[in-house]
Amino acid sequence: MSAFVSATDTFTIAYDAQRELLRACWLQPLADEELQATLLELLTAAQRYANCRYWLLDARRRPIAGPALRRWARQVLHPQLYPALGGPVFVAFVVTPGQWPAIENVAMDQHLRAAAAEEVFPNYFEDEPTALNWLRDQQKHD
């Protein structure tokens, strides 16, 4: 059963107690500053729910992070996650086929390596069941 943590016209967060993960969904494209606020809201929600380190993020209605947001994540968000939540964070993004060009490139590869160095492990999927299976596998091996 999911408990809604936060819901607005642009972004929702729910805690899925059965799967022990946070679910979030962007309902429309947002400016980088607004995306930053939603990501910090996710961190707050994770702390509220037993330092939840497994996140299922539906990004199908927003663009993939560009250089400025990736830089902010590396400099501001990622360094906070491990200390705040007490372990590595696993993030499954659900995306559309049209978003893959923004994911499969050298700049994103460099971002993902930098994230891993901070114990943040994002991964991208085109469907929720596959994303949930990956998160479940991470939970088993954590």
Side-chain angles (χ1 to χ4, degrees), residues 43-74:
L43 172 55
T44 300
Q47 290 174 304
R48 192 176 319 142
Y49 287 92
N51 292 333
C52 181
R53 297 181 295 113
Y54 303 93
W55 301 0
L56 177 65
L57 308 182
D58 186 337
R60 291 176 283 195
R61 294 186 187 125
R62 73 161 181 88
I64 298 301
L69 187 60
R70 288 193 306 263
R71 186 171 34 263
W72 174 86
R74 281 192 314 274

Side-chain angles (χ1 to χ4, degrees), residues 3 8 12 20 26 30 43 45 57 66 68 76 85 93 110 120 122 133 135 137:
T8 67
T12 63
E20 297 180 341
W26 288 272
L30 299 175
L43 172 55
L57 308 182
V76 177
L85 302 178
F93 286 95
Q110 292 170 341
V120 179
N133 284 338
L135 286 169
D137 287 345

